[in-house]
Amino acid sequence: MLQEHIRNIAIIAHVDHGKTTLVDQMLKATHAFRENQQVQERVLDSNDQERERGITILAKNISIEYKDVKINVIDTPGHADFGGEVERVLKMADGAVLLVDAAEGPMPQTRFVLSHAIAANLRIMVCINKIDREGANPEKALNDCLDLMMDLGADDDQLEFAMEHVVYASAVNGYARLDPDDGNTDMYPLLDMIVDALPAPDVDVDGPLAMQCVTVDHSDYVGRIGIGRIYSGTIHAGDKILVVKNDGSRAMSQVKQLFTFDYLGRKECTQAEAGDIAAVVGLDSTDIGDVYTDPENPVELDPIEIDPPTLSIIFEPSTSPLVGREGDIVGGRQLKERLEQERENNVTMRIEETPDKTGVEVAGRGILHLSVLMEQMRREGFEFQVGRPKVLFKKDENGNKLEPIEEAVVECPNECSGKVIEVFGNAGGTMSNMSAGIQQTHLEFHIPTRGIMGLKTRIMNVTHGEAVFYHNFLEYGPFAGEIGGRQNGAMISMSTEKAVAYALGTLQERGQLFVAPGDECYEGMLVGERSKPGDMVVNVARTKQLGNQRSSTADIAVQLTPPRTFTLEEALEYIMEDELVEVTPKSIRMRKRILSETERRKWRVRNGLVNK
């Protein structure tokens, strides 16, 4: 039975192609806001980091009403590090709007999200966005989309549907058109096509209850909230239901509260029917993949597999000499409690205490995935330190070592392609595809996740900042052998003092500095990078010896190059095995694990790294 009053659609696209802006305009077109209401841009990117980074991190559900049809809209992340969100939430949809930039065309992560939509057998309509952008070529972008769908194995019905259902839009200007030049100035052609063309849920309203949890929300007041689509039957507040876990275990539970989505919020209701998306409160320790079903006529649904993490980082309490100066929360107990709370909320991460109880190991899908958590914690006032990200290896049935392999795509100027290939070769990458255009070269590589770390900086250096670089997890493949790390040595502070311009003036001749005059430094802290291999201990607080024949004010002004600054992701990629990143609410510092040079030398002798 078709539920004609409901449409469940997902909006899928590459990072920064305009998904969230498009949803804003759909909300405005369906009068979700009062006429005089002040609304921020990208209203669905409610998280501070989402707004600052300009990316969607968490998949979100909203609903809008148009022509007496309830449209449940799922805004998905476009970044591969948050791919675990995309795979699951597409199970709630019957159709998808593929959003593509009219100038850029399909990009690497377009392939990633589109492949999941095709695998889920969704009906896909194409929306060519940013048609007002300079260099826009809507016709080419559409043809490239259709070619990509063929490459990804779309069947004839999906291809035919996509060819017949195309909308041209400028989300930022608030219009959608059936023809790029027809002069329409509102979003109604897009909404009409969603209602008229995308399929309604085909479900059995009178059958036994079957609902699957695909997203878990968390409330400090009611605990875990299971969100998912109802495939058959009707669920009521107060119902006794059977909860079937992914491992087959079963338990009885009661629905305490029931919500459906209503524009940007949730609306409490007494019942929800098949075809709708609902949020259920009261099911203890509910998890991704749980099936809520009728105890007397249980329905079986396929379990949901979450892609395994590929990288892990160990969080430890800070042991820096400057600990407690910038953050309010520095204790190991509070750090563990915060990460245990994250484990409740974030099912895409694996969070476990280390065997020696000194830290907590957090495993995720990539450095960005992990750094988003760190950034959130430092904003909450935490101070902590983390080691170098470690790749999570596997073994196949024959005992062979496997490691995560990434698919990396680079678009760079033609004259830089040779240097890019060389950089990938040194990092253990192998080229899988190359196509040269008039000005740009498109390169594709398969490269171990270990080799990705620090690669973006090197690519930007050899292409003078003109490259576009994306990567996403491909598969677990054979271990690729040793991959060289950082080539240059570090400059390490020998004392705990503030940096002085005179000392930095002499040190900048030896390499690149990370600190400026007046910055707090401590023994063992990385203050710069040498231009040669091998670490060097330096004095950043050395001042000029003054005789009585000249005063300090008559000294020659020191000309300093601005220091190199690191984002959290860049610092994590930069450090070596014996180094740590110290994270505070105000600073990101890199340091040696063993701060004392004498102790570091003893450690190297004990481990046979130098001659006695």
Side-chain angles (χ1 to χ4, degrees):
M1 172 182 172
L2 291 175
Q3 292 284 71
E4 291 291 354
H5 64 287
I6 296 176
R7 298 290 183 278
N8 297 318
I9 67 160
I11 300 192
I12 58 174
H14 178 81
V15 177
D16 202 32
H17 277 198
K19 293 185 301 299
T20 309
T21 308
L22 187 78
V23 175
D24 279 4
Q25 298 297 345
M26 291 167 70
L27 284 163
K28 288 176 183 173
T30 52
H31 310 295
F33 312 114
R34 298 187 311 273
E35 285 189 22
N36 62 345
Q37 186 174 347
Q38 294 294 311
V39 182
Q40 61 186 8
E41 288 184 20
R42 305 197 319 277
V43 67
L44 279 199
D45 282 348
S46 50
N47 181 313
D48 285 346
Q49 289 194 66
E50 291 182 317
R51 302 191 65 74
E52 289 167 22
R53 294 171 186 262
I55 61 173
T56 299
I57 293 172
L58 301 171
K60 300 176 186 70
N61 296 61
I62 62 160
S63 80
I64 55 179
E65 293 273 345
Y66 182 67
K67 289 185 175 177
D68 297 325
V69 175
K70 179 181 182 181
I71 305 172
N72 287 313
V73 181
I74 305 156
D75 183 25
T76 63
H79 201 288
D81 276 24
F82 309 104
E85 297 273 333
V86 179
E87 297 152 41
R88 299 196 312 274
V89 297
L90 288 181
K91 286 183 173 287
M92 294 192 284
D94 299 292
V97 178
L98 173 66
L99 200 64
V100 177
D101 189 308
E104 294 181 353
M107 295 290 276
Q109 260 116 11
T110 310
R111 171 183 285 269
F112 174 77
V113 291
L114 183 57
S115 63
H116 286 298
I118 289 172
N121 201 31
L122 300 184
R123 285 283 177 268
I124 298 161
M125 59 178 273
V126 181
C127 179
I128 307 296
N129 193 26
K130 305 187 184 182
I131 58 171
D132 57 324
R133 182 178 169 184
E134 187 178 343
N137 189 340
E139 190 176 335
K140 182 179 184 302
L142 174 61
N143 290 334
D144 289 347
C145 285
L146 298 172
D147 290 344
L148 179 59
M149 288 182 69
M150 289 178 67
D151 288 347
L152 294 173
D155 60 35
D156 291 346
D157 289 344
Q158 286 175 316
L159 280 169
E160 195 172 315
F161 187 91
M163 289 171 69
E164 292 174 359
H165 300 93
V166 183
V167 174
Y168 301 90
S170 170
V172 75
N173 291 314
Y175 62 77
R177 300 168 177 174
L178 299 179
D179 183 279
D181 303 315
D182 71 7
N184 186 62
T185 58
D186 56 43
M187 295 300 293
Y188 296 124
L190 172 66
L191 293 166
D192 287 334
M193 191 174 286
I194 289 171
V195 169
D196 298 339
L198 287 179
D202 189 1
V203 290
D204 181 4
V205 179
D206 301 319
L209 172 66
M211 173 179 173
Q212 190 164 35
C213 173
V214 298
T215 305
V216 173
D217 200 356
H218 186 272
S219 163
D220 292 337
Y221 303 104
V222 297
R224 286 193 162 198
I225 302 168
I227 299 170
R229 174 177 167 160
I230 307 166
Y231 292 96
S232 71
T234 305
I235 187 168
H236 303 82
D239 276 358
K240 294 273 188 186
I241 60 170
L242 180 68
V243 179
V244 183
K245 297 277 189 187
N246 268 349
D247 61 5
S249 61
R250 301 180 171 211
M252 291 296 293
S253 197
Q254 183 174 13
V255 179
K256 291 179 181 171
Q257 284 178 291
L258 189 64
F259 294 86
T260 54
F261 291 89
D262 181 42
Y263 287 95
L264 290 169
R266 294 177 192 159
K267 179 173 68 177
E268 189 167 0
C269 56
T270 55
Q271 72 170 47
E273 292 185 339
D276 209 349
I277 294 171
V280 179
V281 175
L283 311 183
D284 295 336
S285 66
T286 191
D287 227 327
I288 300 293
D290 286 2
V291 177
Y292 312 149
T293 186
D294 186 333
E296 296 179 6
N297 299 295
V299 177
E300 290 187 7
L301 296 175
D302 293 334
I304 295 175
E305 298 294 333
I306 300 174
D307 268 12
T310 56
L311 280 181
S312 75
I313 285 181
I314 293 178
F315 286 63
E316 301 170 359
S318 178
T319 56
S320 160
L322 305 180
V323 66
R325 293 197 188 180
E326 298 176 356
D328 303 321
I329 312 171
V330 298
R333 180 178 57 81
Q334 292 106 315
L335 183 68
K336 288 175 186 175
E337 285 174 357
R338 172 65 179 80
L339 290 169
E340 282 170 8
Q341 178 190 340
E342 188 68 25
R343 180 169 54 196
E344 284 293 311
N345 302 349
N346 193 338
V347 291
T348 59
M349 283 184 171
R350 196 178 69 223
I351 300 174
E352 297 167 351
E353 195 169 3
T354 54
D356 60 4
K357 309 289 186 187
T358 58
V360 179
E361 184 178 25
V362 179
R365 289 285 290 269
I367 283 185
L368 180 63
H369 192 198
L370 295 164
S371 70
V372 164
L373 170 60
M374 293 180 211
E375 183 65 36
Q376 185 61 41
M377 288 174 63
R378 72 187 286 233
R379 292 176 185 209
E380 293 168 12
F382 281 87
E383 272 195 39
F384 54 92
Q385 61 193 30
V386 292
R388 180 174 168 82
K390 292 183 178 174
V391 167
L392 299 174
F393 297 104
K394 278 185 174 181
K395 288 197 173 176
D396 63 12
E397 55 272 14
N398 300 321
N400 298 318
K401 193 175 184 181
L402 302 176
E403 68 174 328
I405 305 295
E406 308 252 342
E407 182 176 43
V409 178
V410 179
E411 303 264 357
C412 66
N414 291 340
E415 62 271 17
C416 300
S417 58
K419 292 177 183 176
V420 171
I421 293 168
E422 184 182 345
V423 167
F424 270 92
N426 293 336
T430 55
M431 189 163 66
S432 58
N433 191 16
M434 176 179 180
S435 56
I438 300 170
Q439 294 178 316
Q440 295 281 105
T441 300
H442 176 88
L443 300 164
E444 295 179 17
F445 299 87
H446 292 170
I447 181 170
T449 300
R450 290 177 298 141
I452 286 285
M453 287 188 240
L455 197 65
K456 185 171 185 177
T457 305
R458 278 177 270 164
I459 289 170
M460 290 303 168
N461 285 343
V462 299
T463 61
H464 311 295
E466 294 188 39
V468 178
F469 173 53
Y470 293 101
H471 60 92
N472 55 264
F473 174 73
L474 180 66
E475 62 187 358
Y476 267 85
F479 181 65
E482 292 304 316
I483 295 173
R486 193 174 74 218
Q487 301 299 314
N488 295 353
M491 295 185 199
I492 304 159
S493 175
M494 66 166 57
S495 59
T496 302
E497 295 177 82
K498 287 187 177 181
V500 174
Y502 176 75
L504 298 181
T506 57
L507 290 176
Q508 73 177 2
E509 298 168 11
R510 306 285 192 94
Q512 191 175 32
L513 294 173
F514 302 158
V515 294
D519 285 356
E520 291 274 8
C521 301
Y522 55 83
E523 183 182 10
M525 177 176 155
L526 272 61
V527 294
E529 181 183 283
R530 289 187 71 189
S531 51
K532 299 177 182 178
D535 292 342
M536 176 174 72
V537 179
V538 299
N539 183 0
V540 293
R542 186 164 66 91
T543 55
K544 188 172 182 69
Q545 296 300 314
L546 302 173
N548 59 5
Q549 73 275 18
R550 84 191 289 183
S551 69
S552 59
T553 54
D555 206 353
I556 301 168
V558 178
Q559 296 295 317
L560 288 175
T561 307
R564 177 179 172 187
T565 57
F566 288 81
T567 63
L568 198 43
E569 294 97 80
E570 288 167 349
L572 292 169
E573 292 179 336
Y574 184 81
I575 58 172
M576 302 296 284
E577 288 293 335
D578 64 335
E579 294 166 354
L580 299 168
V581 176
E582 177 195 352
V583 183
T584 78
K586 295 180 182 175
S587 308
I588 295 167
R589 304 184 187 98
M590 294 175 290
R591 50 164 283 190
K592 288 291 182 183
R593 185 175 287 278
I594 302 171
L595 296 176
S596 164
E597 167 61 12
T598 309
E599 294 300 319
R600 284 200 300 275
R601 194 177 290 121
K602 288 179 182 175
W603 181 84
R604 287 197 295 269
V605 169
R606 283 198 303 272
N607 287 275
L609 300 176
V610 293
N611 296 325
K612 294 185 181 181

